[in-house]
Amino acid sequence: MPVVTIVGAGVIGVSWARLFGAAGWEVRVSDPRPDLRDVVAEHLSGLSVVATDDLASAAQGADFVQEAGPERMEIKEQMFATLAANTGEGVVLASSSSSLLPSHIAAGNPAADRIVIGHPFNPPELMPLVEVVPGPQTSPKTVERAVEVYKALGKLPIRLKKEYPGFVGNRLQKVINDQAMYLVQEGVIDVADLDDLVRASLGLRYATIGPFQSGVLGGGPAGIRHLIEGIASQMTFEIGAPDPARTGAVVDAVDEAYGTGQEAYDRLAALRDERTRAVLRPLGWAEPRQEG
Ligand SMILES: NC(=O)c1ccc[n+]([C@@H]2O[C@H](COP(=O)([O-])OP(=O)(O)OC[C@H]3O[C@@H](n4cnc5c(N)ncnc54)[C@H](O)[C@@H]3O)[C@@H](O)[C@H]2O)c1
């Protein structure tokens, strides 16, 4: 049974653990959180899991490492130093980081050639994409192995040609999120209506075709050139940017619209997962694996 070490048992680490565990990997989870055993009992029951707060021992004997610890460079540096010292040649050290550059995480690390970004979208067990981002020191072998493992898990790994701040997924997401914040601040639309607007338009569209494909179709038989020279050429407005000083008011409105706390989180996550599962198969993605 291959062994994966998951570093961090937060939102992303637990989901990775369920994915690897359901695919037949022996899972080692390392996290200093005091309730680690409760987390394993609640979310990872029925899987082959060893939980520990000792990263060094969790890493020893691993065939693959998926790091999902805090998004702080100094913590990542420490974690990857421990991982480098406790894993063997050829073992991929993949970070789930949302935007930290692999070259920064790998700076001064003796296993820099084995460090790569394997950035999932939340929740990794359901979302097909994993962005595979090599740094300049990442070896081609590391990238190939990471791609191979993610494919075997039923994911769609997309390899970026080079590292770039925010990678691709989160650069696109940032544009939408900033504009959503700005439009609510400007009093153009309320929080829940904005979410519905996106679900009923861009969300559904992008689940089926990408922005360039959409442009081809929006241009009719003449294709994207017609769209760019026509409709798009008239969109000359400034898109503006949200005011950081007014973020708090929008956050309050989001809390009011959806609620906060464990109950709200569980309810919203269950709804998201149910809807995601419902569309994955008809859209041609691998059947999501379900743990027992
Ligand atoms: N939340 C998302 O939507 C999302 C999506 C994609 C990628 N990511 C990335 O995944 C990573 C984890 O994010 P998250 O949202 O799960 O964070 P989180 O805060 O939910 O979990 C982080 C976990 O790391 C643990 N931790 C702290 N120090 C540690 C150490 N030294 N060793 C091991 N574990 C340690 C914490 O106790 C916590 O349980 C980040 O790099 C983030 O950028 C997050």
Side-chain angles (χ1 to χ4, degrees):
M1 197 184 243
V3 176
V4 65
T5 297
I6 308 283
V7 187
V11 172
I12 297 300
V14 163
S15 187
W16 274 124
R18 287 159 60 101
L19 178 68
F20 276 94
W25 289 62
E26 183 187 319
V27 178
R28 302 214 188 123
V29 183
S30 169
D31 194 312
R33 61 189 289 177
D35 61 345
L36 181 59
R37 272 163 223 295
D38 298 339
V39 170
V40 170
E42 190 179 344
H43 298 289
L44 304 174
S45 64
L47 302 174
S48 175
V49 178
V50 175
T52 173
D53 61 359
D54 179 27
L55 179 53
S57 67
Q60 285 158 20
D63 296 299
F64 192 88
V65 175
Q66 184 71 45
E67 177 273 319
E71 187 75 336
R72 294 266 302 280
M73 185 55 84
E74 64 277 16
I75 300 180
K76 299 270 194 223
E77 274 169 7
Q78 271 177 14
M79 292 187 300
F80 278 86
T82 304
L83 292 170
N86 289 280
T87 50
E89 269 308 296
V91 176
V92 171
L93 309 178
S95 173
S96 304
S97 177
S98 301
S99 67
L100 301 177
L101 293 179
S103 60
H104 292 179
I105 294 175
N109 190 301
D113 61 314
R114 296 193 275 127
I115 295 175
V116 67
I117 299 289
H119 171 237
F121 263 49
N122 185 37
E125 64 195 294
L126 292 183
M127 294 296 261
L129 175 69
V130 184
E131 270 181 307
V132 177
V133 188
Q137 292 178 275
T138 310
S139 73
K141 215 171 97 190
T142 297
V143 175
E144 274 159 37
R145 174 73 182 136
V147 165
E148 179 186 45
V149 167
Y150 294 136
K151 275 189 184 161
L153 293 171
K155 301 287 109 181
L156 177 71
I158 293 193
R159 179 194 163 155
L160 302 196
K161 295 200 272 186
K162 61 177 180 182
E163 67 173 21
Y164 210 69
F167 318 135
V168 172
N170 275 332
R171 290 182 76 90
L172 296 170
Q173 184 161 235
K174 181 170 162 49
V175 172
I176 300 234
N177 288 351
D178 281 355
Q179 192 60 204
M181 179 71 72
Y182 176 74
L183 289 167
V184 173
Q185 286 179 350
E186 287 293 291
V188 177
I189 192 166
D190 290 334
V191 163
D193 274 351
L194 185 132
D195 279 350
D196 283 344
L197 185 153
V198 172
R199 282 195 312 122
S201 56
L202 294 177
L204 199 51
R205 170 183 288 171
Y206 290 159
T208 57
I209 53 173
F212 287 115
Q213 275 174 299
S214 173
V216 169
L217 295 170
I224 195 167
R225 192 178 310 277
H226 182 64
L227 187 83
I228 288 172
E229 290 170 355
I231 300 170
S233 73
Q234 299 307 303
M235 294 196 186
T236 53
F237 49 81
E238 294 292 326
I239 61 165
D243 174 5
R246 290 192 289 150
T247 299
V250 181
V251 169
D252 289 345
V254 174
D255 284 353
E256 198 181 320
Y258 296 113
T260 56
Q262 195 64 46
E263 183 279 325
Y265 175 79
D266 290 345
R267 177 171 39 82
L268 292 169
L271 179 68
R272 174 202 59 195
D273 291 353
E274 184 192 324
R275 288 177 174 172
T276 307
R277 285 200 157 94
V279 298
L280 276 172
R281 201 170 188 189
L283 288 174
W285 300 114
E287 180 76 355
R289 297 166 199 274
Q290 311 240 8
E291 48 88 46

